[in-house]
Amino acid sequence: MDKLKSYFRERTPAYSSLPDSDDGNVPDGSRRVPITWRDETTRRRLKLLSIIMIAMSFAGLVFMLFLKTVGGATDNAPPEKCDTPERGFQCSANISHSWGQYSPFYSVPSEIDPALPKDCELTFALILSRHGARDPTFGKAVQYAALLTKIQGSVTNYGPGFEFLRDYEYTLGADQLTAFGEQQMVNSGIKFYQRYQFLAKKSLPFVRASGQNRVLVSAKNWTQGFHEALRADETATAPHDKLLPILEISEDEGVNNTLSHGLCKAFERGGRYAEVGSSAQERYLSAFAKPITSRLNERLPGANITDSDVISLMDLCPFNTVASPVGALSKFCGLFSQDEWEKYDYYQTLGKYYGYGPGNPLGPTQGVGWVNELIARLLKKPVEDSTSSNGTLDSDPVTFPLDRELYADFSHDNDMMGILGALGVYDEVKPLDNTTRTKPEEAGGFSAAWTVAFAARIYVEKMVCRQGDNRGKELVRILVNDKVVPLTKCPVDEGGRCEVEDWVKGLKFVREGGRWVECFA
């Protein structure tokens, strides 16, 4: 075990780092990521040129090149546009959209049209984003390597489909973004600009990031995508000579940081609050994993696979996939059926719901500080909060301006879970069953993959409409990964929106500090 730990302390990721930018305006430590976005006019021109070339001589050769150019798959490689700014990751969607928090971001189906209403003028937009795809955490990396060492040291007869494990070499790094994850964040910055172009072309967002490296790098890559889209917009008047500055908020112990939980002692020290999520997962694991465990032990005689080992082997599917710069599907993915992947997703969903979200008594309280900051931004009034907000930063207009139309915050999945809990958008969802899977559609859109995937994002929009019953009113709505999530605790219209003041009044739990006093009982 000591050798394994030493390996992960010294090992660099298996993928190569992208070259540093030679632009003097790029912040230190950032990476210049190739931009794959093209506007629709350019796409049409390229397609027309390809058609003309096909009609000319050497049609066969040109046709093959054309197929490659537009992303046709060859051999076992995925299409070049497996992951796009607009829709996120769409390859092998039958399983890749069921990897819980390890799914790459994808656009979630929405019953309410997520497009900006044509009769409304957008006045405010905010993104709260998880970092992009990463390697396993250090602890998980050691665990995975140990499991593979056990299998390779005890199995001599590998069953059909499992033969690749004989010579598989574990080469994943630990904790850092992958090249795929970096490009995800570039794509996210592009999409944010395109979606909110009406404001973004003339008003730059204020950007904050929690201080862990993968979050900071994600924010930097997001700003690169936003900047490239801004520069490509000939109608833009916002300055685009430099990348956006990023306010880093430390994650050091004891620091007030609404983008990183850590202050609530009762929640952090374990005990009954920590056990809520793990207990729900353990019960569900015992309900669904045993047939899988039996099958794996038949295919890997001598390995003595346990139920928890099953989860580790399933984890290696998404982690190896996002370690590929283009998201090439890992061989680990084929070891399990679609039904098993859906159950895996639910296993992860239970961990998030009961560990950090609405199902944990203190989960939503961890997000109260951030939501109080959101209220201040929406109303353009000073922050009123006595939980995790940073009074020094939030009282200074330089570090917490209230005059912006666009904002961007970057954090982690567990923190986003607490914030979603504080926002109350899933309050009407019945507590999730820990023995039988509840589909996301049956849970009000709640699942780990639908809410906090790699590069997941929450949009908060404020708008004023010119027609109908809402004419002249300031309305607010929330989208989670492109799905409009109807607000609660206020009179909601057919578009899932409420009047801003009504919504703020309904957030009594947030304005009164949640259950913060219990953190120190």
Side-chain angles (χ1 to χ4, degrees), residues 70 96 110 122 149 153 172 174 215 220 233 276 344 384 467:
V70 299
S96 67
S110 179
L122 188 74
T149 298
L172 299 177
V215 180
K220 290 174 182 177
D233 185 355
V276 179
Y344 168 87
E384 296 183 12
Q467 300 177 9

Side-chain angles (χ1 to χ4, degrees), residues 43-78:
R43 290 193 187 97
R44 291 174 179 172
R45 289 175 179 172
L46 287 174
K47 184 175 181 180
L48 178 60
L49 177 60
S50 297
I51 293 173
I52 293 173
M53 293 176 70
I54 292 170
M56 296 172 64
S57 59
F58 308 107
L61 175 61
V62 173
F63 184 65
M64 291 300 294
L65 292 174
F66 170 74
L67 284 177
K68 184 177 181 181
T69 300
V70 299
T74 57
D75 298 326
N76 295 320

Side-chain angles (χ1 to χ4, degrees), residues 436-488:
T436 305
R437 175 176 177 257
T438 303
K439 297 179 180 179
E441 297 87 348
E442 299 169 347
F446 188 95
S447 85
W450 280 30
T451 54
V452 290
F454 283 135
R457 68 285 311 250
I458 300 168
Y459 292 152
V460 181
E461 302 173 342
K462 185 170 70 171
M463 60 193 74
V464 178
C465 300
R466 298 182 291 273
Q467 300 177 9
D469 295 339
N470 292 321
R471 185 173 61 181
K473 298 177 181 178
E474 276 197 322
L475 304 175
V476 61
R477 75 170 180 175
I478 291 177
L479 296 86
V480 180
N481 297 327
D482 296 339
K483 176 182 173 61
V484 177
V485 184
L487 299 180
T488 59

Side-chain angles (χ1 to χ4, degrees), residues 41 121 131 139 145 206 241 332 334 366 457 460 475 482 489 504:
T41 301
E121 178 181 347
H131 57 74
F206 182 78
D241 56 329
F332 282 94
Q366 310 315 304
R457 68 285 311 250
V460 181
L475 304 175
D482 296 339
K489 309 180 188 308
V504 171

